[in-house]
């Protein structure tokens, strides 16, 4: 349920999101002007001490005072052919890929502004991310400086750049 607390000092309004009587998240608005800060904090859970802030003027940020988690682990079926427009579950943030032989991936579907995906090659064969391959739809392609070969037990973190409609490597 929701609990609204308007008794807080310093012109602060707090809205608590509760599950079974325990507060899970706190949404807090402070100050008296239109551009006063907005805070969203996790409470009583693994997410506590994560603070999202928006001052309405210049920035939005997240302060992770504990571990940063990518918890959407997916282990899809083994890749048995080269993949064009490889389909991602919209919930996936971490892909554990295997293949039956060395395989190419020419693009990833389901990209959206700022999406981050960690790809792990947990199999025994190389998986290659092919740079700017015309085999995939333009918006699903990789913008890399060259092909990126993920050898067994190697990972790459990709970010979707919606301005150029391409996946870019953040780290390998």
């Amino acid at each position: 349920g929701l609990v609204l607390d308007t008794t807080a000092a310093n012109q602060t309004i707090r809205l608590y999101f509760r599950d079974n009587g325990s507060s899970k998240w706190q949404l807090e608005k402070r100050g008296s002007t239109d551009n006063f800060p907005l805070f969203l904090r996790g409470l009583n859970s693994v997410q506590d001490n994560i603070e999202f802030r928006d001052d309405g003027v210049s920035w939005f940020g997240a302060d992770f005072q504990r571990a940063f988690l990518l918890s959407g682990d997916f282990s899809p079926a083994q890749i048995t052919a080269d993949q064009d427009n490889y389909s991602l579950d919209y919930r996936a943030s971490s892909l554990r890929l295997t293949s039956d032989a060395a395989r190419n991936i020419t693009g990833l579907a389901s990209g959206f502004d700022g999406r981050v995906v960690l790809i792990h090659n947990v199999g025994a064969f190389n998986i290659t991310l092919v740079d700017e391959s015309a085999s995939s739809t333009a918006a699903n392609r990789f913008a890399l400086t060259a092909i990126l070969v993920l050898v067994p037990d190697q990972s790459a973190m990709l970010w979707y750049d919606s301005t150029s409609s391409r996946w870019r490597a953040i780290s390998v």
Side-chain angles (χ1 to χ4, degrees):
L2 301 175
V3 176
L4 179 62
D5 175 7
T6 58
T7 62
N10 301 323
Q11 298 177 325
T12 299
I13 298 172
R14 292 188 180 115
L15 183 61
Y16 295 95
F17 300 85
R18 292 187 172 168
D19 181 23
N20 297 325
S22 176
S23 294
K24 298 297 183 187
W25 291 94
Q26 170 188 330
L27 180 63
E28 183 174 298
K29 193 78 164 153
R30 297 180 184 166
S32 62
T33 63
D34 287 341
N35 55 359
F36 54 96
L38 174 67
F39 298 89
L40 177 61
R41 289 191 183 90
L43 303 170
N44 302 328
S45 67
V46 174
Q47 291 92 1
D48 67 357
N49 296 322
I50 298 174
E51 194 169 275
F52 298 91
R53 301 179 184 195
D54 181 5
D55 68 5
V57 178
S58 59
W59 69 280
F60 177 81
D63 180 10
F64 295 91
Q65 298 171 16
R66 290 199 180 184
F68 175 73
L69 307 174
L70 293 175
S71 60
D73 290 352
F74 282 81
S75 297
Q78 184 179 61
I79 296 172
T80 58
D82 288 345
Q83 299 291 308
D84 303 325
N85 303 305
Y86 188 73
S87 182
L88 293 178
D89 186 290
Y90 74 95
R91 300 165 294 171
S93 60
S94 182
L95 288 175
R96 302 177 75 255
L97 300 181
T98 64
S99 61
D100 64 343
R103 299 292 180 191
N104 294 329
I105 300 175
T106 63
L108 297 176
S110 305
F112 53 81
D113 187 33
R115 183 174 187 180
V116 174
V117 175
L118 187 59
I119 297 178
H120 309 276
N121 181 355
V122 296
F125 300 98
N126 292 351
I127 296 175
T128 300
L129 306 181
V130 182
D131 183 46
E132 293 292 352
S133 173
S135 297
S136 275
T137 305
N140 295 338
R141 295 178 190 164
F142 301 109
L144 310 168
T145 55
I147 64 169
L148 176 57
V149 179
L150 297 177
V151 299
D153 294 322
Q154 188 176 22
S155 301
M157 185 173 279
L158 304 176
W159 166 72
Y160 191 77
D161 176 358
S162 64
T163 301
S164 61
S165 298
R166 295 290 190 277
W167 288 96
R168 298 184 180 278
I170 297 173
S171 70
V172 179

